[in-house]
Amino acid sequence: MIEVLSAINGDIRFTVSNANEDGPRPEDDAVVGLHLFAGQKLELTSRSCTLLTCTTKGNTSMRSIEVTDSPAGSASIGSSNTWSVCGSGNILCSKVDGSEKYAIFGGKGVEMNMWDLDNCTKIWAAKSPPKNSLDIFTPTWFTSSTFLSKDDHRKIVAGTNSHQVRLYDISAQRRPVISFDFRETPIKSVTEDLDGYTVYVGNGSGDLASFDMRTGKLLGCFLGKCSGSIRSIARHPELPVIASCGLDSYLRLWDIKTRQLLSAVFLKQHLTNVVFDSNFADEEVKPSSVAADLPLNAEKIANETEIRDEEETLPVKRKKASKEDERRKKKKASKENEGNKVKEASKENNGSEKKASKENEGSKKLKSKKSKRSKYEIHDES
């Protein structure tokens, strides 16, 4: 079943069954590709939209549906075209270009091929690369694809299960123009940038990086490891931001310039796709208007609570500060007392030393006088 929802309130506008009586069972032929074309208003109360669906077995259909804005939400299916994009294998990825005139398909056992949606005819099909130096052939297994530029449908970027990223140019050749490896796990998501030559690649081990497809050079890896397989990457139409989601149930927003993680939201389930709403308008509420809308009682209550909080918190801070000051004063006083004691002890030692030196000098003088007297006495006797 295909459900068309309202992006404003999430209400179901109408449902379409994709099962065919003559085809395989719906359990064995699930929908893997879905695209809603840009609708045009026919009348004030009526809208027309076109749906493109593709299943695992390659059964593709394009339906024109007219929807009314009545409460019942009735819809009528107009013209529809149905065709098969592959004879064998399983379709795993599909993409519609910016002009909504061409679509590409690929999968397990299915080479990349491009179709003209106006005529429902195949206009190009890729050719598998040759065997490697060891004479080993890599089986065809595409897991993701995208157009390199929204204005040019001739260049295609595809990711494979053998961790390869390939660039095809339908105007040059059927085989890849550039092919390189990225880590060692399957490529699960590929998204183009607005500049027309940069792509963002996510693999099954949670690695996210950007490449320059003109040379195949790695521009850099995004910082912050994801804990699960990355299944979808979306580029913001204006801001330098990309979004990624995967099996770890997280929606992450990244800055393209710095490759830093801006935000992560846990959404409680496995995620397989993410898109940006380009028509969303975020109207910020000014603080002044919020304050004006508050009632007077609420303002009084807020002021009273602020005063109470200040009264409760200030004395506690002062007590703590006074205790710390007392401790510091005691430490300073003890240090000063110790310094004074040391000074006094040094002064006493100096005074005692001076007294001892004076006494020694006096004793020496007395001895010298006595020796002189004894000499004179001996002379007199003689």
Side-chain angles (χ1 to χ4, degrees):
M1 297 296 294
I2 301 167
E3 296 180 349
V4 178
L5 309 176
S6 173
I8 299 174
N9 51 18
D11 294 339
I12 299 176
R13 303 301 304 273
F14 61 90
T15 58
V16 179
S17 176
N18 200 56
N20 295 324
E21 297 179 357
D22 300 334
R25 295 183 302 174
E27 294 83 2
D28 300 332
D29 196 18
V31 176
V32 294
L34 179 64
H35 182 77
L36 179 64
F37 289 81
Q40 296 180 356
K41 293 183 179 180
L42 299 179
E43 296 177 1
L44 294 176
T45 60
S46 176
R47 291 183 182 179
S48 176
C49 62
T50 304
L51 283 174
L52 175 67
T53 60
C54 180
T55 62
T56 305
K57 301 297 181 182
N59 297 320
T60 306
S61 63
M62 190 163 56
R63 302 179 180 92
S64 178
I65 302 172
E66 186 175 345
V67 187
T68 59
D69 291 338
S70 61
S74 59
S76 60
I77 299 176
S79 60
S80 63
N81 294 326
T82 304
W83 69 96
S84 179
V85 296
C86 67
S88 61
N90 295 326
I91 298 294
L92 298 178
C93 59
S94 64
K95 184 74 174 180
V96 178
D97 72 327
S99 63
E100 296 184 339
K101 294 182 179 180
Y102 304 94
I104 52 176
F105 304 92
K108 186 177 181 180
V110 181
E111 290 287 344
M112 295 299 302
N113 54 84
M114 184 180 294
W115 289 73
D116 186 355
L117 297 179
D118 293 336
N119 302 320
C120 298
T121 56
K122 184 190 292 187
I123 60 175
W124 177 84
K127 188 176 181 180
S128 59
K131 297 179 181 180
N132 58 12
S133 59
L134 300 176
D135 201 21
I136 298 175
F137 177 74
T138 303
T140 302
W141 195 339
F142 291 96
T143 55
S144 58
S145 61
T146 186
F147 289 91
L148 186 59
S149 176
K150 293 183 178 181
D151 300 329
D152 188 6
H153 70 279
R154 295 173 297 178
K155 293 182 181 180
I156 305 166
V157 180
T160 67
N161 192 70
S162 56
H163 53 84
Q164 283 187 348
V165 181
R166 300 176 182 175
L167 173 64
Y168 291 93
D169 189 353
I170 66 173
S171 61
Q173 58 187 21
R174 295 177 60 189
R175 282 180 173 166
V177 178
I178 296 175
S179 180
F180 54 88
D181 295 339
F182 177 56
R183 302 295 170 89
E184 297 180 355
T185 53
I187 306 297
K188 293 296 183 180
S189 180
V190 178
T191 301
E192 77 281 0
D193 194 79
L194 301 178
D195 55 10
Y197 55 84
T198 304
V199 295
Y200 304 99
V201 180
N203 62 4
S205 60
D207 299 314
L208 181 61
S210 58
F211 290 88
D212 187 350
M213 296 308 297
R214 295 174 297 183
T215 58
K217 181 182 178 181
L218 174 65
L219 298 178
C221 295
F222 287 80
L223 304 177
K225 177 74 174 177
C226 300
S227 58
S229 174
I230 297 175
R231 294 304 176 94
S232 179
I233 304 171
R235 172 69 164 85
H236 195 278
E238 296 177 359
L239 302 177
V241 175
I242 61 171
S244 67
C245 67
L247 301 184
D248 61 350
S249 304
Y250 274 93
L251 170 65
R252 291 179 170 87
L253 297 175
W254 309 84
D255 188 352
I256 294 174
K257 297 179 180 178
T258 61
R259 301 186 186 92
Q260 297 282 344
L261 179 64
L262 299 177
S263 177
V265 184
F266 183 69
L267 299 178
K268 302 181 181 180
Q269 58 186 339
H270 295 319
L271 307 175
T272 57
N273 209 337
V274 58
V275 294
F276 278 105
D277 185 3
S278 58
N279 297 324
F280 179 74
D282 187 9
E283 296 179 357
E284 296 182 356
V285 181
K286 297 181 180 179
S288 60
S289 62
V290 175
D293 293 338
L294 288 174
L296 296 176
N297 294 330
E299 291 181 356
K300 289 181 181 179
I301 293 169
N303 294 328
E304 289 177 359
T305 53
E306 288 179 359
I307 293 168
R308 289 176 183 174
D309 293 338
E310 290 178 357
E311 291 177 354
E312 292 177 356
T313 55
L314 286 175
V316 177
K317 291 182 180 179
R318 286 175 184 173
K319 288 180 181 179
K320 290 181 181 178
S322 61
K323 289 181 180 179
E324 291 179 356
D325 293 337
E326 289 177 359
R327 290 176 183 173
R328 291 175 183 174
K329 288 179 181 178
K330 287 180 180 179
K331 288 181 180 180
K332 287 181 180 180
S334 61
K335 288 181 180 179
E336 289 177 356
N337 293 329
E338 290 177 357
N340 294 330
K341 288 179 181 179
V342 171
K343 288 180 181 179
E344 289 177 357
S346 61
K347 286 181 181 179
E348 289 178 357
N349 293 328
N350 293 330
S352 59
E353 289 177 357
K354 287 180 181 179
K355 287 181 181 179
S357 61
K358 287 180 180 180
E359 290 177 355
N360 292 328
E361 289 177 356
S363 61
K364 288 179 181 179
K365 288 179 180 179
L366 290 172
K367 286 180 182 179
S368 61
K369 287 180 181 180
K370 287 180 181 180
S371 60
K372 287 180 180 180
R373 287 177 183 175
S374 60
K375 287 178 182 181
Y376 290 126
E377 288 178 354
I378 291 167
H379 287 293
D380 294 335
E381 290 177 357
S382 60

